[in-house]
Amino acid sequence: MSSRRMAAITGSLLTASFSAVMILPCTAVADDQGPASSKGGKAVDEAPAGVELSTTLPSRITVDNSSQKTAITATVKNDGSKDSGGIRLLVVGFDGLKVINVQGCSAIAEKDLPEGSNSGFSCPVGSLAAGRSKSYAVDATYDLSKAGKICLPVQTTDGKKTFWQQGPVPFGTTNPSPNAPATPLLLGTDNKPVGPAGDQLPKTGADRDVTPLGAAGAALIAAGCAGLWWARRRQEG
């Protein structure tokens, strides 16, 4: 075989190897969030006849151990037979889980955040047709030395009624991986932080009982909380 032909074959092999290296890592780090789950959710105020609203979160997320970044898909859906009318979705973070951005949504001012939360976004869903859903890409960080929780209330656009609320529900792991590139967290699992007292969950508030979040008037105003969680102010009459 001539040296010229050998060089050509060697070059082709190197090119193929380089292509494989460029492609494979992308596949390896893809975050499989598993099936969507409505765990930790319940109906609150009665929805209009024919409207059945709920939300879902991924059953699993992955936190980058160096940057603490993670991605979450929050979905609101209408499984009823009629359009929902105007609604909004809130995405609110607690403790170690901080919501950095939600695509297409507006940040809730710090003074208007519910007590105990560290971040939140309001998403104007509009009227959701029967049988339809709408998903939002949530960018967040997760401090693995703490517990971390997220809450998804679905409200009327003026915040006077909360038709559904998922959470505050935790993401966490009982098997932290401090030396791994990333740590997988499961929905509905309390986080067990890494450290000397890793067998003891930090005391960050009361229990996880869910009470609904609402707002007085059209503006998004923080409602109080019972301990860490939510208490809803409702306009009478």
Side-chain angles (χ1 to χ4, degrees), residues 215-237:
L220 180 63
I221 301 172
C225 294
L228 178 62
W229 312 132
W230 314 84
R232 176 164 44 92
R233 294 178 190 163
R234 300 182 59 185
Q235 184 176 11
E236 295 182 2

PDB file of all heavy atoms in Angstrom, residues 215-237:
ATOM      1  N   ALA A 215     -54.130  35.984  45.934  1.00  0.00           N
ATOM      2  CA  ALA A 215     -53.713  37.381  45.978  1.00  0.00           C
ATOM      3  C   ALA A 215     -54.936  38.242  46.157  1.00  0.00           C
ATOM      4  O   ALA A 215     -56.032  37.868  45.762  1.00  0.00           O
ATOM      5  CB  ALA A 215     -52.982  37.753  44.703  1.00  0.00           C
ATOM      6  N   ALA A 216     -54.783  39.409  46.775  1.00  0.00           N
ATOM      7  CA  ALA A 216     -55.889  40.343  46.945  1.00  0.00           C
ATOM      8  C   ALA A 216     -55.810  41.362  45.834  1.00  0.00           C
ATOM      9  O   ALA A 216     -54.835  42.088  45.730  1.00  0.00           O
ATOM     10  CB  ALA A 216     -55.789  41.016  48.306  1.00  0.00           C
ATOM     11  N   GLY A 217     -56.880  41.432  45.024  1.00  0.00           N
ATOM     12  CA  GLY A 217     -56.895  42.370  43.916  1.00  0.00           C
ATOM     13  C   GLY A 217     -56.169  41.827  42.712  1.00  0.00           C
ATOM     14  O   GLY A 217     -55.737  40.693  42.685  1.00  0.00           O
ATOM     15  N   ALA A 218     -56.015  42.694  41.705  1.00  0.00           N
ATOM     16  CA  ALA A 218     -55.442  42.255  40.442  1.00  0.00           C
ATOM     17  C   ALA A 218     -53.937  42.118  40.517  1.00  0.00           C
ATOM     18  O   ALA A 218     -53.352  41.341  39.792  1.00  0.00           O
ATOM     19  CB  ALA A 218     -55.821  43.237  39.337  1.00  0.00           C
ATOM     20  N   ALA A 219     -53.272  42.886  41.391  1.00  0.00           N
ATOM     21  CA  ALA A 219     -51.810  42.821  41.485  1.00  0.00           C
ATOM     22  C   ALA A 219     -51.405  41.545  42.188  1.00  0.00           C
ATOM     23  O   ALA A 219     -52.135  41.008  43.015  1.00  0.00           O
ATOM     24  CB  ALA A 219     -51.283  44.026  42.255  1.00  0.00           C
ATOM     25  N   LEU A 220     -50.191  41.063  41.869  1.00  0.00           N
ATOM     26  CA  LEU A 220     -49.655  39.876  42.530  1.00  0.00           C
ATOM     27  C   LEU A 220     -49.065  40.321  43.859  1.00  0.00           C
ATOM     28  O   LEU A 220     -48.045  40.973  43.899  1.00  0.00           O
ATOM     29  CB  LEU A 220     -48.577  39.232  41.665  1.00  0.00           C
ATOM     30  CG  LEU A 220     -47.948  37.977  42.276  1.00  0.00           C
ATOM     31  CD1 LEU A 220     -48.998  36.898  42.433  1.00  0.00           C
ATOM     32  CD2 LEU A 220     -46.817  37.490  41.400  1.00  0.00           C
ATOM     33  N   ILE A 221     -49.765  40.010  44.951  1.00  0.00           N
ATOM     34  CA  ILE A 221     -49.348  40.447  46.269  1.00  0.00           C
ATOM     35  C   ILE A 221     -49.067  39.216  47.102  1.00  0.00           C
ATOM     36  O   ILE A 221     -49.783  38.232  47.051  1.00  0.00           O
ATOM     37  CB  ILE A 221     -50.456  41.287  46.946  1.00  0.00           C
ATOM     38  CG1 ILE A 221     -50.770  42.513  46.071  1.00  0.00           C
ATOM     39  CG2 ILE A 221     -50.052  41.705  48.349  1.00  0.00           C
ATOM     40  CD1 ILE A 221     -51.965  43.290  46.563  1.00  0.00           C
ATOM     41  N   ALA A 222     -48.033  39.264  47.869  1.00  0.00           N
ATOM     42  CA  ALA A 222     -47.689  38.098  48.682  1.00  0.00           C
ATOM     43  C   ALA A 222     -48.789  37.838  49.692  1.00  0.00           C
ATOM     44  O   ALA A 222     -49.219  38.725  50.398  1.00  0.00           O
ATOM     45  CB  ALA A 222     -46.377  38.342  49.408  1.00  0.00           C
ATOM     46  N   ALA A 223     -49.223  36.613  49.734  1.00  0.00           N
ATOM     47  CA  ALA A 223     -50.118  36.202  50.805  1.00  0.00           C
ATOM     48  C   ALA A 223     -49.239  35.743  51.953  1.00  0.00           C
ATOM     49  O   ALA A 223     -48.090  35.444  51.773  1.00  0.00           O
ATOM     50  CB  ALA A 223     -51.010  35.068  50.321  1.00  0.00           C
ATOM     51  N   GLY A 224     -49.757  35.708  53.152  1.00  0.00           N
ATOM     52  CA  GLY A 224     -48.950  35.224  54.262  1.00  0.00           C
ATOM     53  C   GLY A 224     -48.775  33.735  54.183  1.00  0.00           C
ATOM     54  O   GLY A 224     -49.254  33.091  53.284  1.00  0.00           O
ATOM     55  N   CYS A 225     -48.054  33.170  55.147  1.00  0.00           N
ATOM     56  CA  CYS A 225     -47.850  31.725  55.202  1.00  0.00           C
ATOM     57  C   CYS A 225     -48.138  31.241  56.611  1.00  0.00           C
ATOM     58  O   CYS A 225     -48.019  31.989  57.556  1.00  0.00           O
ATOM     59  CB  CYS A 225     -46.420  31.352  54.844  1.00  0.00           C
ATOM     60  SG  CYS A 225     -46.000  31.722  53.153  1.00  0.00           S
ATOM     61  N   ALA A 226     -48.495  30.010  56.712  1.00  0.00           N
ATOM     62  CA  ALA A 226     -48.575  29.370  58.006  1.00  0.00           C
ATOM     63  C   ALA A 226     -47.272  28.617  58.155  1.00  0.00           C
ATOM     64  O   ALA A 226     -47.065  27.596  57.533  1.00  0.00           O
ATOM     65  CB  ALA A 226     -49.763  28.422  58.069  1.00  0.00           C
ATOM     66  N   GLY A 227     -46.366  29.150  58.954  1.00  0.00           N
ATOM     67  CA  GLY A 227     -45.008  28.602  59.009  1.00  0.00           C
ATOM     68  C   GLY A 227     -44.319  28.905  57.708  1.00  0.00           C
ATOM     69  O   GLY A 227     -44.253  30.044  57.284  1.00  0.00           O
ATOM     70  N   LEU A 228     -43.840  27.867  57.034  1.00  0.00           N
ATOM     71  CA  LEU A 228     -43.117  28.064  55.775  1.00  0.00           C
ATOM     72  C   LEU A 228     -44.069  28.180  54.606  1.00  0.00           C
ATOM     73  O   LEU A 228     -43.767  28.810  53.612  1.00  0.00           O
ATOM     74  CB  LEU A 228     -42.175  26.881  55.557  1.00  0.00           C
ATOM     75  CG  LEU A 228     -41.379  26.901  54.258  1.00  0.00           C
ATOM     76  CD1 LEU A 228     -40.469  28.112  54.203  1.00  0.00           C
ATOM     77  CD2 LEU A 228     -40.562  25.640  54.117  1.00  0.00           C
ATOM     78  N   TRP A 229     -45.220  27.539  54.691  1.00  0.00           N
ATOM     79  CA  TRP A 229     -46.055  27.384  53.509  1.00  0.00           C
ATOM     80  C   TRP A 229     -47.039  28.514  53.317  1.00  0.00           C
ATOM     81  O   TRP A 229     -46.860  29.620  53.790  1.00  0.00           O
ATOM     82  CB  TRP A 229     -46.753  26.026  53.529  1.00  0.00           C
ATOM     83  CG  TRP A 229     -45.800  24.924  53.824  1.00  0.00           C
ATOM     84  CD1 TRP A 229     -45.951  23.927  54.722  1.00  0.00           C
ATOM     85  CD2 TRP A 229     -44.513  24.728  53.229  1.00  0.00           C
ATOM     86  NE1 TRP A 229     -44.848  23.129  54.722  1.00  0.00           N
ATOM     87  CE2 TRP A 229     -43.959  23.585  53.833  1.00  0.00           C
ATOM     88  CE3 TRP A 229     -43.755  25.410  52.260  1.00  0.00           C
ATOM     89  CZ2 TRP A 229     -42.719  23.084  53.501  1.00  0.00           C
ATOM     90  CZ3 TRP A 229     -42.505  24.918  51.927  1.00  0.00           C
ATOM     91  CH2 TRP A 229     -42.008  23.781  52.534  1.00  0.00           C
ATOM     92  N   TRP A 230     -48.133  28.168  52.606  1.00  0.00           N
ATOM     93  CA  TRP A 230     -48.990  29.229  52.077  1.00  0.00           C
ATOM     94  C   TRP A 230     -50.234  29.442  52.931  1.00  0.00           C
ATOM     95  O   TRP A 230     -50.767  28.542  53.520  1.00  0.00           O
ATOM     96  CB  TRP A 230     -49.484  28.842  50.670  1.00  0.00           C
ATOM     97  CG  TRP A 230     -48.438  28.331  49.781  1.00  0.00           C
ATOM     98  CD1 TRP A 230     -47.973  27.067  49.707  1.00  0.00           C
ATOM     99  CD2 TRP A 230     -47.719  29.069  48.808  1.00  0.00           C
ATOM    100  NE1 TRP A 230     -47.009  26.975  48.768  1.00  0.00           N
ATOM    101  CE2 TRP A 230     -46.839  28.175  48.194  1.00  0.00           C
ATOM    102  CE3 TRP A 230     -47.745  30.400  48.392  1.00  0.00           C
ATOM    103  CZ2 TRP A 230     -45.991  28.549  47.185  1.00  0.00           C
ATOM    104  CZ3 TRP A 230     -46.898  30.778  47.384  1.00  0.00           C
ATOM    105  CH2 TRP A 230     -46.030  29.858  46.807  1.00  0.00           C
ATOM    106  N   ALA A 231     -50.742  30.692  52.912  1.00  0.00           N
ATOM    107  CA  ALA A 231     -52.075  30.957  53.433  1.00  0.00           C
ATOM    108  C   ALA A 231     -52.743  31.892  52.441  1.00  0.00           C
ATOM    109  O   ALA A 231     -52.133  32.835  51.968  1.00  0.00           O
ATOM    110  CB  ALA A 231     -52.001  31.604  54.814  1.00  0.00           C
ATOM    111  N   ARG A 232     -53.933  31.613  52.073  1.00  0.00           N
ATOM    112  CA  ARG A 232     -54.605  32.362  51.007  1.00  0.00           C
ATOM    113  C   ARG A 232     -55.528  33.425  51.579  1.00  0.00           C
ATOM    114  O   ARG A 232     -56.326  33.166  52.458  1.00  0.00           O
ATOM    115  CB  ARG A 232     -55.407  31.380  50.155  1.00  0.00           C
ATOM    116  CG  ARG A 232     -56.233  32.028  49.062  1.00  0.00           C
ATOM    117  CD  ARG A 232     -56.652  30.970  48.081  1.00  0.00           C
ATOM    118  NE  ARG A 232     -57.102  29.784  48.780  1.00  0.00           N
ATOM    119  CZ  ARG A 232     -58.339  29.544  49.118  1.00  0.00           C
ATOM    120  NH1 ARG A 232     -59.285  30.412  48.854  1.00  0.00           N
ATOM    121  NH2 ARG A 232     -58.667  28.430  49.734  1.00  0.00           N
ATOM    122  N   ARG A 233     -55.362  34.672  51.066  1.00  0.00           N
ATOM    123  CA  ARG A 233     -56.316  35.735  51.387  1.00  0.00           C
ATOM    124  C   ARG A 233     -57.392  35.771  50.318  1.00  0.00           C
ATOM    125  O   ARG A 233     -57.055  35.921  49.160  1.00  0.00           O
ATOM    126  CB  ARG A 233     -55.614  37.092  51.405  1.00  0.00           C
ATOM    127  CG  ARG A 233     -54.589  37.243  52.524  1.00  0.00           C
ATOM    128  CD  ARG A 233     -53.965  38.590  52.392  1.00  0.00           C
ATOM    129  NE  ARG A 233     -52.829  38.721  53.273  1.00  0.00           N
ATOM    130  CZ  ARG A 233     -51.906  39.650  53.152  1.00  0.00           C
ATOM    131  NH1 ARG A 233     -51.988  40.540  52.171  1.00  0.00           N
ATOM    132  NH2 ARG A 233     -50.887  39.722  53.986  1.00  0.00           N
ATOM    133  N   ARG A 234     -58.619  35.633  50.680  1.00  0.00           N
ATOM    134  CA  ARG A 234     -59.699  35.629  49.685  1.00  0.00           C
ATOM    135  C   ARG A 234     -60.620  36.808  49.910  1.00  0.00           C
ATOM    136  O   ARG A 234     -60.977  37.129  51.043  1.00  0.00           O
ATOM    137  CB  ARG A 234     -60.478  34.326  49.787  1.00  0.00           C
ATOM    138  CG  ARG A 234     -59.579  33.108  49.525  1.00  0.00           C
ATOM    139  CD  ARG A 234     -60.365  31.821  49.581  1.00  0.00           C
ATOM    140  NE  ARG A 234     -61.420  31.819  48.602  1.00  0.00           N
ATOM    141  CZ  ARG A 234     -62.315  30.846  48.510  1.00  0.00           C
ATOM    142  NH1 ARG A 234     -62.296  29.836  49.338  1.00  0.00           N
ATOM    143  NH2 ARG A 234     -63.255  30.895  47.581  1.00  0.00           N
ATOM    144  N   GLN A 235     -60.956  37.430  48.825  1.00  0.00           N
ATOM    145  CA  GLN A 235     -61.868  38.581  48.894  1.00  0.00           C
ATOM    146  C   GLN A 235     -63.292  38.071  49.097  1.00  0.00           C
ATOM    147  O   GLN A 235     -63.774  37.251  48.333  1.00  0.00           O
ATOM    148  CB  GLN A 235     -61.772  39.381  47.600  1.00  0.00           C
ATOM    149  CG  GLN A 235     -62.612  40.626  47.626  1.00  0.00           C
ATOM    150  CD  GLN A 235     -62.418  41.434  46.362  1.00  0.00           C
ATOM    151  OE1 GLN A 235     -61.815  40.956  45.403  1.00  0.00           O
ATOM    152  NE2 GLN A 235     -62.933  42.639  46.348  1.00  0.00           N
ATOM    153  N   GLU A 236     -63.921  38.537  50.143  1.00  0.00           N
ATOM    154  CA  GLU A 236     -65.266  38.059  50.449  1.00  0.00           C
ATOM    155  C   GLU A 236     -66.293  38.799  49.614  1.00  0.00           C
ATOM    156  O   GLU A 236     -66.098  39.937  49.227  1.00  0.00           O
ATOM    157  CB  GLU A 236     -65.580  38.282  51.925  1.00  0.00           C
ATOM    158  CG  GLU A 236     -64.681  37.464  52.849  1.00  0.00           C
ATOM    159  CD  GLU A 236     -65.039  37.670  54.307  1.00  0.00           C
ATOM    160  OE1 GLU A 236     -66.010  38.428  54.550  1.00  0.00           O
ATOM    161  OE2 GLU A 236     -64.379  37.097  55.155  1.00  0.00           O
ATOM    162  N   GLY A 237     -67.359  38.072  49.357  1.00  0.00           N
ATOM    163  CA  GLY A 237     -68.448  38.707  48.629  1.00  0.00           C
ATOM    164  C   GLY A 237     -68.310  38.561  47.172  1.00  0.00           C
ATOM    165  O   GLY A 237     -67.400  38.049  46.611  1.00  0.00           O
TER     166      GLY A 237
END
